[in-house]
Structures are given as C-alpha cells and as structure tokens.
Amino acid sequence: MNDKIVLENIYKSYYLAGVTTEVLSGVNLKVEENETLAIVGPSGVGKTTLLHIMGTLMKPTSGKIYIDGLDISTLGDDALSSFRNKKIGFVFQFHHLLPEFTALENVMMPLLIRGNDGAEEKAAEMLKLVGLGGKEKHRPSQLSGGERQRVAVARAIVTRPSILLADEPTGNLDWKTSEGVLDLLFSLKEEFSITMVIVTHNRHVAEKCGKIYLLERGKIRCYTD
Amino acid sequence: MKFTLFIALRYLFSKRKQTFISVISAVSILGITIGVASLVIALALVSGFQGEIQGKVLRATSAIMASPVSSRGIEDWKELCHRLEKFSFVKRAYPQAIIQALASSEYDIKPIMLRGLDPENLPDWIGGLMEGGIVIGDKLMEELGISPGDFITVYLPSVELTPFGPRAKARRVKVTGAFSSGLYILDNTSGAFPIGRGRELFSIKPEVNYINIDVDDIYRAEEYSKILDKEFPDLIFTPWNVINRTLFESLKLEKRIIFLVIALIVVVAALNIIASLVLLVMEKIKDIGILMSMGARRNDIAKIFMAQGTFIGIIGVLLGEIIGILASWAASTFRLIRIPADIYQIGYVPFHVKPLEAAGVGIFALIISFLSTIYPARKASKIDPSEAIRYE
Ligand SMILES: Nc1ncnc2c1ncn2[C@@H]1O[C@H](COP(=O)(O)OP(=O)(O)O)[C@@H](O)[C@H]1O
Ligand SMILES: [Mg+2]
C-alpha cells in the first residue's frame, strides 16, 4: 500500500493576546491510499487544526507534510491553491455553501475555479448521484440540513479528488439524517476510490472506518490496533 | 465567464441578508451618479457659455481687426484690403469705421459706438442700412425712448468753433431702425451707418479707421495676426480672442475650479465604495475561506471585490452620464434657466456637452472607483482560509 498522506512530527502553536498555546506537539501519522481513517478526541483538542494542516489550509509551526510523496512546503501559494483544487475535497461541520448561489452553482464552483468546460453537466450529474436531482435551482436556504450537507458532499467530490477531508460532517444533523449522509460518503468513497479522513465525535461513525486515531494532549495514537 | 466575475455579479445583484450593505452599495452608486452628472452638467454649462459668447463675439466682430498705428485713420484702405486678400488664409478683408460718441434723445444720453459698415457685407443680424441715417441696438433704442424715424443728437469726440465759441461737435441724425445681435453689449451701446457716409453724417475725415479680416480658421487667428504684423508695419492686428482675453481666460479658470470642487463628490462616493466593500468582505469571510479551500487563489479573491467595486463605478458612471447629458440637453433646448442678459450677455443658461469632456469625467470616475477597490480587495485576499472556515 502507498502512503497517501504522511505527517512527520507536526507541531502547531497558536498565539493569542501574547499567550502561546501548543495544540499539536509532535503528531506523526500515515494515511494509506484508499483507506478510511477516523480521528476522534474531545472538543478543543486540535482535530480541526490537524485536518486543516493535512488539507494545506494552514501551515504547521514545524514538521513536514507529504501528499503523494510531495513535500507540500515546497509549493508556493498559487501552486498550493491549484494543488488543493485538484487533489483535495473538504466537507465541514456546517455546510458552508455559498448562500447566494443555487445548489447546482455551488457544486459547479470548484470546476469553475479550475476553469473546466462542462461544469454544469458534471455538477448536475453529481447532484443526481447524491440524490438531489430536481433540486438544482434551490438556494441553500431552501434546502433541509441533510440536503445541504449532501450538496456539500457533491461539491467536495465533483472534481474527483483523491483525498476527502471531512470535519464532523454529521455534527449538526439528527441521527437519521446523519446515517444517510454517512452512507453517501462511504459509498462515494468506494465508487471513486478516495482516501478519506473523518474527524468525528461520534463513536458509531468512527467504527465504520478502517482505522480510528485518538488525538489527546497534542499527540495522536491509533485506537484500533 | 470567469468565476470571479460570476461571483462578483451575484454579490452585487442578489438580495443581501444585511440590508445595510445593499443600502450603502446603493448610496455609493448614487454618489457616483450624482458626482458624474454634476460634473457633466457643470462642464457643459461653462462650455455652453464659452461657445455662446464666442459665437456672439465672432458675429459682432471679425476674426482679426487691423487698426492703424497712427490715429489718423486708413486712407489707403482699398489697396490694403486688396493686399490682405492675397494671403491664402484671408477669406475677406473689408473696411470699417468706428466712432465713439454720445447719443442724446429728449429723455436720455448714452454712450454709443458707431460703426461704419459696408452695406453689401453686413452681419446677418443687421437687417439693412438706410442712406442718410443710422441703425442702433434695440436695447439702446429702448433706453433712449425713441422709435424708428426719430432723430437723435450725436456728440462726437472733437471740438468745433461756432459763433458761440468752441463747442463739442454735434450732429442730428435720423434713426432708421434697430437691430438685435443677442450680445447685450452690442445691442445696448452700438449703432451702425453705411461706410462712406461718415463725412456726410458726422463730418469726419478719414472714412475708414479699421480693417476687418475674416480667416479660414478662427482658432489660428492669433498665429495669422503675427504673420500679418510682420508684413504690415503700419497696422496693428488683433485677433478676436485677444480682444476678449480676460473673458475667455476667466471662463477657462472657472472650468478648472468647478471640476476640482465637484470632483470631490466623486471622491466622497469612492469612500462609500470602500466602506461598502469592506463591509461586504467582512460579511463574506466564510465564503472567501470556502473558495480558498476549493482552490481559489488569493488573486482571484481580490478580483471578485475589484470587479464588484468597478461595477458600482460603471453603473454610477452610466447613470450619471445619461442624467447629465439629458439634463444639459433639456436645460439648453427649453431654456429652462433664465438669467439677466445685461450681466451675462445671454438671457438663458446655455449647456453644451463636449463629448471629450463627458468621456473624461466618466474615465475619471471609473479610475477613482477602481482605485477604491484596492484596499478592500487586498484585505479580502489576505484572509486566512483556516480561520475563515471556523467562522459560524
Ligand atoms: N486561530 C486561533 N487562535 C488561537 N487559538 C485557536 C485558534 N484556532 C483554534 N484555537 C484553539 O486551538 C484549540 C484547538 O482547536 P480545534 O482545532 O478547533 O479543536 P477541535 O477541532 O478538536 O475542537 C482550541 O483550544 C482552540 O481554542
Ligand atoms: Mg473542530
């Protein structure tokens, strides 16, 4: 198995009002291609921080990140942007859809950013795949919580990324809706052979994953072995 | 369509959650509109005055006036006119006599500039000249309280000996009609008689003391005057714009001042653009984070807000130009604004929109609008995506 994501000795400190808080103190993690990995841990422990570092949205204070063997600290700002656009899809706890745009336009957006032709057809197809055919013209405010999260999932994978990073994707949904969204995530992951990292509070969610890691006091350790 | 433009347009035209932002966007559009419209109207006003007064000045005088260096008049005017007309840029050279005098009726006495004109070559606003009489401006006729056919006494600026001692030279002449040039100063203080009749009417010796010269291009009158000055040392050539130099210079200065003052409206409107964009950036922090997580570059984010502000500018400029041009046209065509002619030479405020000036105003406002997007756009592009996404 190939290593998809490798984190080497990641440290991250926040500086706020003169106070330094070390959130991550030497995290080492390997995510293998096509696996599904859960990160669990109490609130405020640094799970989102870790996920954003993996997703190149944030630079660690120190440590190395390799994605597909590439040291991403060698990439400039613009190169990193197109790298994200090509390789990584994000799903957040809050749907984070753009409120002024329809479901279809939201799903089209990463393709438009890439500058692809045929964004509309691809996005429409993806909306059907997540079970929202017929709701293309709805604004986020005209969709239910579960539907919004499905649009967010469609948006995350419409570019066919090889990595999907999900930060408490069902954290704001009721149990039944959560099930639907999770099933969708897992089936899409299979269909498109995506490497998936899910941050979750939910033990039940974690158990669906191949590996579970626990983040505690700045360190991460495997829970399943 | 590039996605930055797509997003900018949607932000501009969709209903805002925070109405405050749409209100101040509307205010910034309105500000640009008012600024541009005011600039177009104000410049049209000054151009209108310039054009109108220039037109009237040119109708009343010729492009270049030649006067003798000595005060004895021009005896050899026929030969001089002939020589002048040999220059390729001279269209016509014709004699004129000017006599400064006082006109007196039963009721009043007024200064009058009497001009001896060639009856075959009259300005179009003088209907005709009668042998054995003079015509005077309609305003002057009114002030003297006379009607066509009445006689007035003209006091000439020389003295003659009479049986009663030296007296101001005075002649009774018949006023055969009135003219109206539209230039107040002419209609109020001048009169005309057929050239060659000066001796008969006023007993003056040289019949001609000026030569009028029409040229092919009035805007080169100054240059032509210099050429003629070299060729005719006995004559002084004065172009039309030099005769009225202070008037034209003050109109030019006025235009600059008006521009500077009204341009401030546009600058204030630009401050509104800055404020509305800064607020929009703050409202859209989360969107910006998401777009960055999807691979939008910092430059793209900046472009969204630059496009947005530039749109505000474009809409404001278009509306302002339309309103300014329409208002100028209406005010001029229907003579909406009346003013006292004795002060301004014209009875209404004329507006003349010069395309280049109107375009300049638009470009100026667009540049200002564009510049005011730079700060908010930079602010947007500096947003940290990771923090922005945590926003809820
Ligand atoms: N921008 C920031 N500045 C300062 N502290 C931060 C910042 N972002 C997060 N933190 C702190 O870092 C810690 C970890 O946050 P986070 O990664 O969101 O944890 P989790 O996702 O596990 O709840 C928290 O204590 C949080 O308050
Ligand atoms: Mg979190």
Side-chain angles (χ1 to χ4, degrees):
Chain A
M1 276 286 195
N2 284 330
D3 290 333
K4 191 74 185 169
I5 308 171
V6 178
L7 300 184
E8 260 180 31
N9 218 17
I10 299 291
Y11 283 79
K12 178 70 191 180
S13 307
Y14 288 112
Y15 307 91
L16 193 68
V19 183
T20 307
T21 324
E22 190 169 82
V23 178
L24 303 177
S25 344
V27 169
N28 288 288
L29 180 67
K30 281 193 170 112
V31 186
E32 285 171 5
E33 195 160 359
N34 272 333
E35 84 174 331
T36 307
L37 189 149
I39 297 175
V40 296
S43 183
V45 78
K47 303 183 294 298
T48 298
T49 303
L50 184 62
L51 203 73
H52 284 187
I53 287 174
M54 266 190 235
T56 77
L57 288 176
M58 188 198 287
K59 289 194 163 58
T61 311
S62 71
K64 290 263 180 218
I65 303 123
Y66 299 90
I67 295 174
D68 285 332
L70 175 73
D71 176 358
I72 62 153
S73 66
T74 60
L75 297 178
D77 224 38
D78 285 356
L80 216 50
S81 292
S82 79
F83 183 84
R84 267 202 298 278
N85 181 268
K86 287 198 188 86
K87 297 229 165 180
I88 304 171
F90 290 95
V91 178
F92 304 102
Q93 175 175 0
F94 306 99
H95 59 84
H96 280 337
L97 297 175
L98 306 182
E100 276 98 350
F101 294 83
T102 64
L104 184 68
E105 289 164 343
N106 265 287
V107 178
M108 285 163 67
M109 203 57 78
L111 296 173
L112 295 178
I113 290 173
R114 187 182 288 189
N116 267 10
D117 292 331
E120 190 165 344
E121 293 73 44
K122 282 182 193 156
E125 198 181 306
M126 194 54 71
L127 269 181
K128 276 203 196 81
L129 204 61
V130 301
L132 287 176
K135 303 229 162 167
E136 290 86 355
K137 295 265 180 275
H138 289 230
R139 295 279 168 103
S141 58
Q142 297 161 327
L143 295 169
S144 72
E147 286 171 335
R148 286 178 202 161
Q149 206 57 322
R150 280 168 188 268
V151 177
V153 170
R155 178 178 68 179
I157 55 172
V158 74
T159 53
R160 304 293 160 85
S162 55
I163 298 168
L164 186 69
L165 303 176
D167 192 356
E168 303 190 38
T170 59
N172 261 358
L173 302 176
D174 59 56
W175 179 80
K176 218 176 149 236
T177 322
S178 296
E179 282 297 290
V181 171
L182 282 171
D183 287 347
L184 177 69
L185 269 179
F186 281 93
S187 74
L188 289 171
K189 177 222 154 337
E190 282 309 316
E191 188 173 343
F192 298 119
S193 355
I194 300 173
T195 308
M196 186 156 78
V197 179
I198 299 187
V199 165
T200 183
H201 268 330
N202 187 324
R203 198 181 170 76
H204 177 69
V205 174
E207 276 164 2
K208 290 189 174 202
C209 300
K211 279 185 191 154
I212 303 174
Y213 278 78
L214 176 68
L215 189 61
E216 228 175 15
R217 273 176 253 111
K219 305 258 190 218
I220 202 164
R221 66 190 163 84
C222 193
Y223 200 69
T224 36
D225 297 341
Chain B
M1 183 163 47
K2 187 124 172 58
F3 79 97
T4 48
L5 206 60
F6 180 46
I7 295 174
L9 281 170
R10 186 62 59 86
Y11 280 178
L12 190 64
F13 292 113
S14 67
K15 266 177 84 84
R16 289 256 86 75
K17 208 164 43 196
Q18 285 173 294
T19 46
F20 184 57
I21 293 178
S22 16
V23 169
I24 94 165
S25 293
V27 168
S28 25
I29 291 179
L30 197 71
I32 298 280
T33 302
I34 292 172
V36 167
S38 315
L39 273 175
V40 168
I41 293 170
L43 293 181
L45 174 112
V46 182
S47 297
F49 260 110
Q50 268 174 344
E52 197 73 15
I53 288 173
Q54 178 174 316
K56 289 192 168 172
V57 163
L58 283 172
R59 277 169 66 193
T61 66
S62 53
I64 300 172
M65 255 178 115
S67 52
V69 175
S70 72
S71 58
R72 267 174 305 154
I74 307 173
E75 301 274 10
D76 53 346
W77 59 269
K78 273 200 179 107
E79 190 218 322
L80 284 173
C81 285
H82 198 67
R83 273 176 63 202
L84 281 165
E85 279 178 347
K86 289 224 167 79
F87 286 84
S88 59
F89 54 81
V90 173
K91 281 205 309 203
R92 211 156 59 100
Y94 52 100
Q96 184 181 310
I98 293 184
I99 306 166
Q100 299 290 351
L102 290 172
S104 163
S105 70
E106 271 178 66
Y107 310 101
D108 212 345
I109 180 158
K110 290 274 167 195
I112 187 169
M113 185 187 79
L114 285 162
R115 305 203 299 164
L117 297 171
D118 179 359
E120 304 301 316
N121 267 320
L122 287 179
D124 53 7
W125 40 269
I126 297 186
L129 291 178
M130 300 275 223
E131 294 293 311
I134 64 171
V135 292
I136 63 175
D138 54 356
K139 296 280 190 314
L140 182 61
M141 182 172 271
E142 220 170 89
E143 297 204 344
L144 289 173
I146 57 167
S147 347
D150 291 350
F151 277 82
I152 58 168
T153 305
V154 173
Y155 292 94
L156 296 151
S158 55
V159 173
E160 61 187 353
L161 280 170
T162 69
F164 312 100
R167 286 277 173 89
K169 196 155 113 187
R171 293 292 178 272
R172 297 274 301 163
V173 292
K174 189 177 179 180
V175 178
T176 58
F179 59 77
S180 171
S181 69
L183 194 63
Y184 190 80
I185 203 164
L186 281 184
D187 297 341
N188 193 40
T189 62
S190 78
F193 61 93
I195 197 159
R197 298 286 161 183
R199 189 169 307 171
E200 175 189 317
L201 286 168
F202 308 111
S203 319
I204 49 164
K205 255 266 291 265
E207 295 274 3
V208 171
N209 51 10
Y210 287 97
I211 294 174
N212 284 329
I213 302 160
D214 287 345
V215 297
D216 54 359
D217 180 357
I218 58 158
Y219 295 103
R220 296 174 69 185
E222 225 172 323
E223 173 190 335
Y224 294 155
S225 298
K226 290 206 180 94
I227 298 174
L228 294 175
D229 268 329
K230 285 206 189 89
E231 297 290 323
F232 298 87
D234 293 341
L235 294 176
I236 298 165
F237 295 88
T238 317
W240 61 278
N241 57 323
V242 170
I243 297 174
N244 300 284
R245 174 151 274 165
T246 44
L247 176 64
F248 290 118
E249 288 297 321
S250 67
L251 283 172
K252 248 188 225 164
L253 179 68
E254 208 166 298
K255 201 173 226 174
R256 268 177 230 148
I257 292 170
I258 285 175
F259 183 87
L260 284 179
V261 171
I262 300 182
L264 281 178
I265 300 181
V266 177
V267 172
V268 170
L271 291 179
N272 273 327
I273 294 186
I274 297 180
S276 69
L277 286 184
V278 166
L279 286 174
L280 184 69
V281 168
M282 272 155 53
E283 189 196 286
K284 294 299 176 196
I285 282 182
K286 206 171 66 183
D287 288 20
I288 294 167
I290 296 302
L291 287 167
M292 284 179 165
S293 82
M294 295 189 297
R297 291 168 305 158
R298 293 188 181 278
N299 261 342
D300 297 329
I301 302 296
K303 276 184 204 155
I304 292 173
F305 293 94
M306 291 182 131
Q308 170 103 1
T310 307
F311 277 130
I312 290 178
I314 290 172
I315 297 171
V317 165
L318 285 181
L319 288 176
E321 294 277 357
I322 292 171
I323 292 173
I325 290 169
L326 279 182
S328 300
W329 173 81
S332 213
T333 309
F334 305 116
R335 309 200 163 179
L336 294 181
I337 305 169
R338 301 272 169 184
I339 47 171
D342 50 351
I343 299 171
Y344 296 102
Q345 307 291 333
I346 306 165
Y348 68 100
V349 181
F351 292 86
H352 174 67
V353 178
K354 288 190 173 169
L356 250 142
E357 281 177 2
V361 166
I363 290 168
F364 162 76
L366 280 182
I367 290 175
I368 295 281
S369 310
F370 179 76
L371 290 180
S372 50
T373 66
I374 291 176
Y375 171 73
R378 269 182 69 91
K379 217 171 144 66
S381 72
K382 291 248 153 36
I383 281 171
D384 174 1
S386 164
E387 272 185 57
I389 289 163
R390 288 168 182 273
Y391 240 71
E392 187 47 38

